[in-house]
Amino acid sequence: EDQVTQSPEALRLQEGESSSLNCSYTVSGLRGLFWYRQDPGKGPEFLFTLYSAGEEKEKERLKATLTKKESFLHITAPKPEDSATYLCAVLKAAGNKLTFGGGTRVLVKP
Amino acid sequence: DVKVTQSSRYLVKRTGEKVFLECVQDMDHENMFWYRQDPGLGLRLIYFSYDVKMKEKGDIPEGYSVSREKKERFSLILESASTNQTSMYLCASSLNRRGGNTIYFGEGSWLTVV
């Protein structure tokens, strides 16, 4: 059965304190791995898609990387506005359905 | 920019009522999805559609149905609402059936069934 596990469940950071979020997955035939940001009461906002091991993508203070078993979202020198829940999801080769992890709630304190 | 619009942000309905949640996307996407999101359970797929008048069950279709009469519009129907259907409902869309395309989400509809 396809599984996506995110850790930690919650992360409290001081402003400027860099850290990484983990997304480990077991899926037969990965077509893509997606990262989303979700603010309270809102829908997920797309951040990145990664397609193959070794791929990296960056956007402002965020950098996503992918291996054959996991993905990391690195937050460099975070600011309070980076506080959100970060969701990881995988799309497998057969079909067009995303399987989501449980998310990591990030709180960045000034 | 892709725009997925959910017509109702907040609804309160009574047990047994028929509930319609409407979703419209403006990017000519072929695929549309309905998810629900609950604390501790994450996002779960209810139904999805690859094309007009086509629908497929997701992981938790029980108690729901869908309608896609036009390409841009995907409706979620609760035939007889129950309290365990109180949740946040998210509509999403992506470009085409070949997959690998980004799935874009709407802002969500908060449904409370009393």
Side-chain angles (χ1 to χ4, degrees), chain A residues 41-100:
Chain A
K42 296 193 172 184
E45 175 190 344
F46 169 72
L47 292 173
F48 304 109
T49 309
L50 301 165
Y51 292 106
S52 57
E55 190 175 359
E56 297 182 354
K57 290 204 176 161
E58 284 188 72
K59 180 180 179 180
E60 296 181 355
R61 294 176 293 282
L62 301 177
K63 179 180 177 180
T65 62
L66 181 65
T67 73
K68 288 188 176 180
K69 292 186 177 180
E70 58 191 351
S71 176
F72 292 93
L73 184 66
H74 308 278
I75 311 178
T76 302
K79 297 182 177 181
E81 52 262 44
D82 295 321
S83 298
T85 295
Y86 291 87
L87 298 168
C88 163
V90 298
L91 184 68
K92 55 191 228 179
N96 206 3
K97 301 188 296 181
L98 282 178
T99 300
F100 280 86

Side-chain angles (χ1 to χ4, degrees), chain A residues 4-74:
Chain A
V4 182
T5 304
Q6 291 188 247
S7 62
E9 288 187 13
L11 191 59
R12 294 167 67 101
L13 300 171
Q14 287 296 128
E15 185 172 1
E17 179 189 359
S18 301
S19 189
S20 295
L21 284 56
N22 177 261
C23 171
S24 63
Y25 61 91
T26 53
V27 62
S28 53
L30 179 73
R31 182 179 280 177
L33 186 141
F34 298 79
W35 282 98
Y36 290 86
R37 170 195 170 120
Q38 187 173 26
D39 293 303
K42 296 193 172 184
E45 175 190 344
F46 169 72
L47 292 173
F48 304 109
T49 309
L50 301 165
Y51 292 106
S52 57
E55 190 175 359
E56 297 182 354
K57 290 204 176 161
E58 284 188 72
K59 180 180 179 180
E60 296 181 355
R61 294 176 293 282
L62 301 177
K63 179 180 177 180
T65 62
L66 181 65
T67 73
K68 288 188 176 180
K69 292 186 177 180
E70 58 191 351
S71 176
F72 292 93
L73 184 66
H74 308 278

